[in-house]
Amino acid sequence: RKFNMRRLLIWGVILMSSFSIGSAGKHKFSWKYRKYCEDVPKKTVPGNKCDRPCFPYSPPRTCVFNFKLEMLKSDTPGRRADGRIRSVLAYNGQIPGPPIVICEGDELVVNFKNDITGNMTNMDGSSSGTTLHFHGIREKTRPWSDGVPFVSQCPITPECQKHKNNHNPFPFPYGFNTDVDGAPAGTYWYHSHVGAQRTNGAYGALIIKEKGKDAHIDKILVLQEWYESSTNQVPVSILINGNGRTGEYINTGEDAEITKHLKGKGGSFQLKKNKYFDRNNFKTNYEECIINEPGKTYRFRVIGAISQNFPLRLSIDDHKFTAIAMDSRNIEPVPDLTDLWLAAGERYDIVVQTKAKYKSFLPYMIRVFGYTNQHNHAAGSLCTIAWLLYPGQTIDYKHVTDSACTGFHPSSPLRTLNPVPNNYKAWNNRIKYPHLKNSSKTGDIFITDLRAKIQEPTIKTNLADTQYIEFDGNITFNGLRMTYPRVPFLLQNPADETDRCTTKTPANYSCQNVLQEPWAKDHWAEIVLVNKNDGAASHPIHQHGGWYWVVGEDKYDNSITANRDFIMDKDQKCLGGCLPQNFINPPAKDTIQVPPNGYVILRTPLDNPGTWIFHCHINYHVTIGMAMVLQIGEPEDWCTKHLHQNVPCKTPPPPPGGGPTTIHWFLGMENAERCVNPGTEVTFNWVTDDHNVIKELTEAQYDSCNVTGYDHAHYVGNANWTAPMLNGHGPETFYFACGRFPNATGIGDHCYNGGMKAKIHVRSDCTISVCTA
């Protein structure tokens, strides 16, 4: 990247400051930071003792939790989900995992053990390695605890935690210090950062309570869409705090529709009879939110533990509410709301004024609703409820929401916060700042019109060149698909830049996409996210290592193609008007939906040295490489504590083509190589509908991509292949390729130039132990 004169001058100031500290210069400067990395001793108590009144002068504590992640069945209270029995992943045997509730000033330690047995088969093929991520926590002194495999650490495998000679400690001590790690009071959550593990139950709530008397009574609502199984990604229900029900009918769908759903373009599903349905014998109940003190205000901390492109809308019968915080940061209150939307990773704090006089008999319903197809609402929807229960009211335990979601489609004018920004008319007619507090105005309210409670004094100090990142139909950043190094970025010293996108021309558009910025307190980087396709997902983009401040956002109608070149011209040349920016109390977020055919302008502070992943929070999208790493500072600036530098992980990073039982099949992929057990079904998962799979080529045909005599047509949907039983024979290897567009000599273009071929080894020992470094 080219540095402008401003960048050079500020780098000079940083270096001069370093040398002025002492003769050691840069190393002395880094030593000051390393001293800052040291822990501050506090009284240690079990984690469940930390959910307490947070008095202003009460001493802080070190809150210790012990977590283990297991593969289980949804057959026991605490993890029954929607009542169907399927494989799940659960922290300490429950879904969601145990809530972590601590006070400002506390330190958190989670001694984490990976106890997954067998090979949990996820849709993306991810296996039993795992990590733990605290979503929204900056980890200013503990970047090694950010929990991203191959970015901040090696993945933790269950086999390796049985031995003491590996370089990941046992158990792994994740955590943070609220008073130094950039973790103010607010609503956060935690989850696995490997493959589809959070989709299958590996998530939970994380709350940091403010010191002083809380003006409201707290409730937590964790929302997630739930799937047919760990291998069948048809959405069938919605969970609130892990509780839900399925009705008489349940969604089913073809592979092509599942693929559209995963790609974020919306799948159309049909209904089938639900074999688990028995109105007289439900295995689960809906969540119950009990109002013990009618007339008081209740704070609902709403967490979008959503997996795919499935935004959810929350409303409360006969109650309006006020939004006071989002993504853990306080905002100017937005009153009299009727509805709230959340996308994957987002959190909102809303305050409900409960009724002093309320109806008798049935409680009120908290309604949660989502469309299976954001672009075609008629294609289907899911819905669920929680009970808002006042004293004396009686729950109807036989109630179940119907497949038509009757009662979830209000006709009266609404005041809706954070709807999916894919409707230009709604965007253009939105309620704009400063009219949000005018309760007589109805319509939609988007992030750009919210305001933070406090002003960031240095936000206009822009250090770096503006970065423009475009999303296209291939689910990438600027056409580049993220790959990862064998030595995690944080643990490289010096940094290995061999495979970075800036130092090589990626043959298949796959490389280590790293944006380097200096560590410069009180300075900022600017990033413009451009969502080119009007029919694409409103990608929820999440940044690790801290918040960004949203200083601009807009959406265009279909007469304009808002691609990267168009946005850059408007921003740099002011063609037809410059991109407007707001620096007066702009809202802070760590996850934001980017409008299709539109953009978002972000400012990120450069005060947190480390390597921080920046990615789409739609699970399928990050697993196929819609990510990059924001590197702030250099290796000598980073805390790595007990993790060894420059030691390769013994489990290699997965390519953006998926894990052992799924191969994401797309033009520009790296050649896939898998090892599976006999009888395993392998899925070739389409990213675009312009491919096929030729099964069981010869090795010579595979090597040369010679597809003479095979099918060259394309077809829609996934391709499946089942590994044969060996029947006493030794291991076998099978070869696959895309047969599209052969030349005159029979060499397939997608195979030869597009990387679309796979080698699958079938043997009985594919689950052999491999430890992390």
Side-chain angles (χ1 to χ4, degrees):
R1 297 175 57 244
K2 293 183 179 179
F3 287 77
N4 60 16
M5 183 58 68
R6 177 188 290 179
R7 178 188 294 276
L8 291 172
L9 289 172
I10 293 178
W11 265 113
V13 171
I14 294 170
L15 291 173
M16 290 299 293
S17 300
S18 302
F19 281 108
S20 67
I21 294 171
S23 60
K26 185 175 182 180
H27 296 287
K28 188 72 173 178
F29 184 73
S30 299
W31 176 84
K32 285 191 70 179
Y33 185 73
R34 289 187 181 280
K35 187 174 181 180
Y36 185 54
C37 293
E38 296 174 4
D39 294 334
V40 179
K42 297 174 182 177
K43 180 182 178 181
T44 300
V45 298
N48 59 5
K49 301 292 186 183
C50 289
D51 185 1
R52 65 198 192 278
C54 300
F55 298 117
Y57 303 107
S58 59
R61 301 175 179 178
T62 295
C63 307
V64 180
F65 291 79
N66 296 307
F67 276 17
K68 66 178 179 179
L69 182 62
E70 298 175 276
M71 181 181 72
L72 301 165
K73 294 288 186 181
S74 55
D75 57 359
T76 300
R79 59 171 184 270
R80 287 195 186 276
D82 61 11
R84 299 172 304 109
I85 297 177
R86 49 154 288 189
S87 296
V88 299
L89 287 169
Y91 294 110
N92 291 5
Q94 62 188 75
I95 298 176
I100 297 174
V101 184
I102 61 177
C103 294
E104 275 187 302
D106 287 347
E107 178 185 10
L108 173 68
V109 176
V110 176
N111 293 316
F112 175 72
K113 180 183 178 184
N114 182 355
D115 209 20
I116 300 174
T117 56
N119 186 10
M120 178 75 177
T121 303
N122 296 305
M123 180 63 186
D124 68 338
S126 54
S127 60
S128 55
T130 193
T131 60
L132 181 64
H133 170 59
F134 300 120
H135 185 117
I137 301 297
R138 297 199 72 195
E139 300 286 10
K140 287 189 72 173
T141 69
R142 306 186 194 186
W144 55 267
S145 186
D146 193 45
V148 182
F150 307 105
V151 175
S152 60
Q153 68 171 101
C154 293
I156 303 167
T157 64
E159 295 88 357
C160 293
Q161 287 207 323
K162 296 175 183 176
H163 307 287
K164 296 183 179 180
N165 59 353
N166 67 88
H167 297 298
N168 271 336
F170 171 73
F172 197 103
Y174 289 104
F176 56 86
N177 211 329
T178 60
D179 48 6
V180 296
D181 279 322
T187 301
Y188 304 84
W189 63 303
Y190 64 86
H191 58 81
S192 165
H193 217 286
V194 170
Q197 290 180 355
R198 65 182 172 89
T199 305
N200 293 316
Y203 63 89
L206 168 59
I207 309 300
I208 303 175
K209 298 198 295 187
E210 189 173 3
K211 280 194 172 183
K213 184 178 181 181
D214 197 332
H216 316 292
I217 302 169
D218 261 21
K219 297 288 183 182
I220 301 172
L221 296 176
V222 186
L223 313 182
Q224 188 205 7
E225 87 282 27
W226 194 241
Y227 290 89
E228 171 74 21
S229 69
S230 62
T231 58
N232 183 345
Q233 294 281 275
V234 173
V236 296
S237 63
I238 297 171
L239 306 182
I240 301 179
N241 293 347
N243 298 311
R245 277 181 179 173
T246 52
E248 187 175 357
Y249 295 91
I250 197 170
N251 278 342
T252 185
E254 300 297 326
D255 289 344
E257 297 303 318
I258 296 173
T259 299
K260 290 178 184 176
H261 170 64
L262 293 174
K263 289 165 63 177
K265 296 185 177 181
S268 296
F269 302 102
Q270 298 78 45
L271 294 173
K272 68 176 181 179
K273 274 285 205 179
N274 179 10
K275 67 180 181 180
Y276 290 95
F277 182 75
D278 180 353
R279 188 178 293 276
N280 297 312
N281 187 26
F282 285 115
K283 301 295 184 184
T284 57
N285 293 316
Y286 291 116
E287 179 70 2
E288 300 174 13
C289 297
I290 300 173
I291 305 301
N292 288 320
E293 300 183 58
K296 291 195 172 182
T297 56
Y298 280 69
R299 176 186 191 138
F300 286 81
R301 300 176 181 269
V302 190
I303 299 171
I306 298 163
S307 302
Q308 308 294 356
N309 185 34
F310 208 102
L312 295 174
R313 184 189 72 206
L314 180 142
S315 61
I316 307 174
D317 287 358
D318 203 19
H319 291 71
K320 293 183 179 181
F321 49 85
T322 298
I324 61 170
M326 63 179 180
D327 290 2
S328 317
R329 303 286 301 198
N330 292 331
I331 58 173
E332 290 292 338
V334 183
D336 295 306
L337 295 170
T338 57
D339 299 81
L340 166 68
W341 282 90
L342 296 94
E346 294 185 301
R347 293 93 62 213
Y348 282 85
D349 290 22
I350 60 174
V351 172
V352 178
Q353 175 66 60
T354 60
K355 298 176 180 294
K357 296 181 179 180
Y358 48 87
K359 68 178 184 179
S360 56
F361 305 114
L362 284 177
Y364 301 93
M365 292 182 185
I366 300 173
R367 299 179 185 266
V368 177
F369 170 90
Y371 293 108
T372 58
N373 187 329
Q374 296 299 319
H375 308 286
N376 178 13
H377 292 177
S381 57
L382 292 176
C383 52
T384 193
I385 66 163
W387 298 109
L388 189 69
L389 182 65
Y390 283 80
Q393 293 179 334
T394 303
I395 291 174
D396 175 8
Y397 285 106
K398 289 190 176 183
H399 177 84
V400 63
T401 57
D402 60 40
S403 56
C405 292
T406 304
F408 285 77
H409 306 282
S411 57
S412 58
L414 305 175
R415 282 172 57 86
T416 302
L417 178 60
N418 193 41
V420 180
N422 60 2
N423 184 307
Y424 176 73
K425 182 178 179 181
W427 174 268
N428 203 40
N429 295 327
R430 71 187 187 273
I431 306 174
K432 298 181 181 180
Y433 181 84
H435 304 294
L436 308 186
K437 293 187 178 182
N438 184 348
S439 300
S440 66
K441 288 188 174 292
T442 58
D444 292 339
I445 300 168
F446 293 93
I447 303 305
T448 189
D449 293 298
L450 302 179
R451 294 295 180 265
K453 289 281 283 186
I454 60 174
Q455 174 68 30
E456 293 296 324
T458 64
I459 193 170
K460 295 182 74 172
T461 308
N462 185 23
L463 172 62
D465 297 330
T466 298
Q467 302 294 319
Y468 299 87
I469 301 174
E470 181 184 80
F471 317 152
D472 58 22
N474 286 325
I475 313 177
T476 60
F477 288 160
N478 287 341
L480 300 174
R481 205 171 295 280
M482 182 69 183
T483 63
Y484 299 89
R486 193 72 176 256
V487 176
F489 290 109
L490 186 72
L491 305 182
Q492 297 176 7
N493 190 5
D496 180 3
E497 300 185 3
T498 306
D499 292 320
R500 294 194 179 183
C501 302
T502 52
T503 57
K504 77 169 192 174
T505 302
N508 293 324
Y509 304 100
S510 297
C511 51
Q512 295 171 15
N513 194 358
V514 179
L515 174 61
Q516 287 185 252
E517 299 289 357
W519 172 32
K521 187 180 179 182
D522 296 330
H523 291 86
W524 301 67
E526 183 173 271
I527 299 174
V528 181
L529 303 177
V530 183
N531 196 353
K532 181 177 73 172
N533 296 315
D534 194 46
S538 302
H539 298 279
I541 303 301
H542 173 51
Q543 175 183 288
H544 288 223
W547 300 274
Y548 41 65
W549 275 252
V550 182
V551 300
E553 182 181 16
D554 205 356
K555 177 175 173 58
Y556 298 93
D557 66 23
N558 291 334
S559 66
I560 294 172
T561 301
N563 58 23
R564 187 172 183 263
D565 291 339
F566 172 83
I567 296 298
M568 288 179 67
D569 281 345
K570 284 191 70 70
D571 193 33
Q572 297 175 354
K573 301 176 184 177
C574 292
L575 297 179
C578 301
L579 299 182
Q581 296 191 12
N582 166 55
F583 293 108
I584 301 175
N585 293 82
K589 292 278 286 172
D590 60 46
T591 310
I592 189 169
Q593 300 178 82
V594 182
N597 208 41
Y599 68 86
V600 171
I601 306 175
L602 311 175
R603 286 283 175 106
T604 291
L606 299 178
D607 63 344
N608 191 9
T611 56
W612 310 105
I613 194 170
F614 185 97
H615 64 91
C616 180
H617 217 279
I618 296 172
N619 201 80
Y620 176 80
H621 293 189
V622 67
T623 60
I624 67 169
M626 193 175 182
M628 61 183 232
V629 166
L630 178 62
Q631 175 184 318
I632 298 178
E634 299 297 334
E636 58 266 26
D637 303 325
W638 306 334
C639 292
T640 56
K641 202 174 180 182
H642 49 261
L643 301 185
H644 291 213
Q645 292 184 330
N646 299 323
V647 179
C649 301
K650 292 184 179 177
T651 51
T661 60
T662 294
I663 297 173
H664 298 309
W665 204 235
F666 57 89
L667 193 64
M669 63 180 280
E670 293 186 357
N671 302 161
E673 187 169 0
R674 302 286 188 267
C675 181
V676 300
N677 291 326
T680 301
E681 184 176 76
V682 178
T683 298
F684 293 78
N685 193 290
W686 265 227
V687 174
T688 57
D689 298 327
D690 190 32
H691 307 305
N692 67 19
V693 177
I694 298 174
K695 303 175 183 178
E696 302 185 21
L697 293 164
T698 67
E699 184 175 6
Q701 289 170 321
Y702 171 89
D703 290 337
S704 65
C705 285
N706 190 326
V707 294
T708 301
Y710 289 95
D711 184 10
H712 307 312
H714 74 92
Y715 51 89
V716 177
N718 298 338
N720 297 308
W721 175 81
T722 301
M725 305 307 293
L726 297 177
N727 296 323
H729 300 293
E732 293 186 57
T733 300
F734 297 87
Y735 303 92
F736 305 79
C738 180
R740 296 283 284 148
F741 302 114
N743 63 17
T745 61
I747 305 302
D749 179 73
H750 281 195
C751 175
Y752 190 81
N753 294 313
M756 298 186 68
K757 58 182 181 178
K759 182 187 301 183
I760 300 178
H761 307 282
V762 179
R763 64 190 202 202
S764 58
D765 59 348
C766 282
T767 57
I768 58 172
S769 173
V770 282
C771 291
T772 61

